[in-house]
Amino acid sequence: MLSLLNLTITLIDIALLLYVCTAIPSSHRSGQGRSIFLVALLFGMAYDNLVVAAGNWFIGEPWFTPVSMMRFYCHVLTLPFLSLFTYSIIREAGLALGQSKVFLMLSLLVTLSTLIYGISHELVGLQLVETSQLGIQRMTNANGSAPIATIVTNLFTIILSAYLWRKTGWKVLCLGSMFIFVVNAVAAGKPWGFIAGNLVEIVFVLSLIITHQNITTNRYPAKQVTA
């Protein structure tokens, strides 16, 4: 039953990916960059859920371990760019902070730092072990340390999206960021945590898509465009 849920989430991810590719115009370079990020993020999410859904049938196959490793590569190499996604939103909203070179450098620093940390601590020497939780067999990282890069990126996004909310009244991105952060924190280490994480990712990525679409199509409900 839960494998079917993962498969359903995969189909939702694919549907959202196709929506981003076809329904959101991105004439500006910044909008195109955000669309590329969303496509990469949704591809990784769809791939992750599809592999997890296939675990009960193929976990004993020799090719399943390298296929499962790609789940971690997709996550580590994509998520850090969420910081630049949020920077782009603030910049295109016309807020003074988005025009600051110091803010740009800070966003780049957070992105590069979390990317390098994720590669060095989560991908280098990556070892997977078989895990069975709630009747689902899947491969997990043998190193059970906290995902520091993900936590830092989420916190940075929450802070910036709260600033966006305060200055423009647009709260979707902030609420989505806080929601996924709280749910993942509560679910960490729980047997059902990976299911909760996959479900809340849908809510979070919807907040990203809605925010991206509104600002890209000039329907951004800004109340104020000053720092």
Side-chain angles (χ1 to χ4, degrees):
M1 180 63 71
L2 289 178
S3 292
L4 181 59
L5 176 60
N6 281 105
L7 185 58
T8 302
I9 296 174
T10 300
L11 295 176
I12 294 173
D13 292 335
I14 293 174
L16 292 175
L17 190 157
L18 293 175
Y19 178 79
V20 171
C21 290
T22 60
I24 303 179
S26 299
S27 56
H28 299 294
R29 182 177 301 177
S30 60
Q32 292 173 350
R34 291 194 302 271
S35 291
I36 291 172
F37 168 76
L38 288 172
V39 168
L41 185 66
L42 284 163
F43 173 83
M45 290 168 57
Y47 183 87
D48 178 81
N49 281 286
L50 182 60
V51 173
V52 171
N56 284 359
W57 291 277
F58 301 110
I59 199 166
E61 299 294 333
W63 51 263
F64 193 75
T65 295
V67 165
S68 294
M69 281 188 172
M70 290 304 300
R71 294 169 48 219
F72 297 88
Y73 276 83
C74 288
H75 175 79
V76 170
L77 298 178
T78 302
L79 189 62
F81 292 94
L82 176 61
S83 299
L84 291 180
F85 176 94
T86 311
Y87 160 79
S88 176
I89 291 293
I90 289 178
R91 178 179 175 83
E92 197 158 331
L95 299 177
L97 183 62
Q99 318 306 315
S100 168
K101 291 184 178 180
V102 174
F103 176 53
L104 172 59
M105 294 305 296
L106 176 62
S107 300
L108 287 170
L109 178 62
V110 172
T111 300
L112 291 175
S113 298
T114 52
L115 182 62
I116 292 171
Y117 184 93
I119 293 173
S120 61
H121 287 74
E122 297 182 41
L123 297 184
V124 174
L126 176 63
Q127 296 291 328
L128 300 185
V129 294
E130 293 185 19
T131 302
S132 180
Q133 293 175 312
L134 301 179
I136 294 183
Q137 291 181 293
R138 61 194 181 103
M139 306 297 291
T140 58
N141 193 341
N143 179 10
S145 60
I148 300 299
T150 299
I151 293 172
V152 171
T153 299
N154 285 349
L155 287 174
F156 188 70
T157 301
I158 289 173
I159 293 171
L160 295 186
S161 59
Y163 168 80
L164 181 71
W165 184 359
R166 178 174 176 268
K167 292 299 182 180
T168 69
W170 183 255
K171 58 187 177 181
V172 173
L173 182 57
C174 187
L175 293 178
S177 302
M178 289 191 295
F179 184 58
I180 191 171
F181 184 80
V182 171
V183 171
N184 281 338
V186 172
K190 304 293 193 305
W192 45 266
F194 73 101
I195 291 294
N198 289 339
L199 290 172
V200 76
E201 279 179 348
I202 296 294
V203 177
F204 176 60
V205 80
L206 278 172
S207 75
L208 299 180
I209 293 172
I210 292 170
T211 299
H212 169 58
Q213 183 173 31
N214 273 272
I215 195 171
T216 300
T217 56
N218 297 316
R219 290 187 286 108
Y220 205 81
K223 297 186 304 182
Q224 174 183 344
V225 292
T226 59

